[in-house]
Amino acid sequence: MSAASNPQPFTDVSVEPFVRGFLHRPANPNGDGVVLTHGAGSNCQAPLLVALAETFAPAGYIVLRYDLPYRQDRPYGPPGPGEAKRDRAGLKNAIAAMKALATGRVFVGGHSYGGRQASMLCAERPENASEEAAGLLLLSYPLHPPRKPEQLRTQHFFNLRTPALFVHGTSDPFGSITEIERALKLIPAKTRLLTVEAAGHDLGFKGKGRREELSANVLKEFQLFFTN
């Protein structure tokens, strides 16, 4: 079994919030690193994150699957309304930990809530966006709550100057493809949208179900989009 398919637990308790997750080290590193985090009801063991890490690591990326602070505090349940700021602080620490491991660029992203917090972190200091991450991988960005299209979560898009690859299912109740395409026009940075036919918010990774081709397609689009 390769190191890429045999991730090692990773912790850094020298910072607050702590960094906790699983690290996938590539056999032939390309120098770049990726921090991936989870949705509101999940954790870093989410099958989608595992599949992506097991695809990106053999391609040369060192990958950290990261538990956000609220999930470190309790094993179940969504984040509370006042926890987002601390979750972003934890994500910032995870990026710093990855920068100590990777010799090249560091990317950050995640599924739904995790991806949203990553994008908000990068937008908080638009004039120094590159200090946080070289790019974003946003899986099923939660554009609005289901059946509430008027409650858009795009306020920070105007300040997002980090290149972002969005991956979105055509049946996602958190935002239609048309809505996502419209929202991307608000972002001053370079963006790309990868659509996943007939997939919902879980991108086909519900329960034991998984789309075998998805992670390979994401890697291909990622490499094309973030080519130097």
Side-chain angles (χ1 to χ4, degrees):
M1 183 177 289
S2 69
S5 60
N6 186 27
Q8 301 300 313
F10 180 88
T11 57
D12 182 356
V13 298
S14 69
V15 291
E16 169 57 36
F18 297 164
V19 178
R20 187 187 77 185
F22 289 88
L23 195 66
H24 297 246
R25 291 184 179 273
N28 299 296
N30 62 18
D32 293 343
V34 183
V35 176
L36 291 176
T37 194
H38 51 84
S42 191
N43 58 40
C44 73
Q45 298 280 39
L48 173 59
L49 299 191
V50 173
L52 286 169
E54 290 180 345
T55 301
F56 273 63
Y61 298 89
I62 182 169
V63 182
L64 173 63
R65 291 187 281 114
Y66 169 64
D67 271 333
L68 289 163
Y70 82 91
R71 181 55 71 231
Q72 296 183 36
D73 291 343
R74 56 189 184 280
Y76 304 106
E83 293 183 295
K85 184 175 181 180
R86 185 166 180 263
D87 288 337
R88 290 195 294 277
L91 195 51
K92 187 180 181 76
N93 288 342
I95 294 169
M98 177 58 76
K99 286 182 177 179
L101 297 168
T103 59
R105 300 169 298 173
V106 171
F107 301 90
V108 63
H111 183 242
S112 193
Y113 174 83
R116 182 186 176 204
Q117 297 310 314
S119 68
M120 291 178 72
L121 174 64
C122 289
E124 284 177 347
R125 296 170 62 222
E127 69 283 0
N128 300 106
S130 61
E131 291 184 10
E132 299 298 352
L136 285 159
L137 175 58
L138 304 178
L139 309 153
S140 299
Y141 185 86
L143 191 62
H144 59 69
R147 297 177 298 281
K148 296 180 180 179
E150 72 283 355
Q151 296 182 21
L152 289 173
R153 296 159 171 160
T154 57
Q155 293 84 352
H156 66 288
F157 277 16
F158 299 95
N159 292 320
L160 187 55
R161 289 178 167 79
T162 305
L165 172 61
F166 286 75
V167 181
H168 207 81
T170 60
S171 300
D172 192 333
F174 286 78
S176 68
I177 297 301
T178 298
E179 289 173 319
I180 284 286
E181 289 175 337
R182 187 182 306 128
L184 263 55
K185 294 178 181 178
L186 305 175
I187 299 174
K190 181 175 69 169
T191 63
R192 178 176 288 188
L193 174 62
L194 171 61
T195 59
V196 185
E197 282 298 322
H201 197 60
D202 53 43
L203 292 174
F205 284 77
K206 185 175 183 180
K208 293 184 179 180
R210 53 189 290 159
R211 292 195 172 211
E212 297 298 337
E213 78 285 358
L214 177 66
S215 54
N217 290 342
V218 171
L219 173 63
K220 179 181 177 181
E221 289 294 324
F222 184 92
Q223 290 174 320
L224 287 172
F225 185 58
F226 292 112
T227 298
N228 282 328

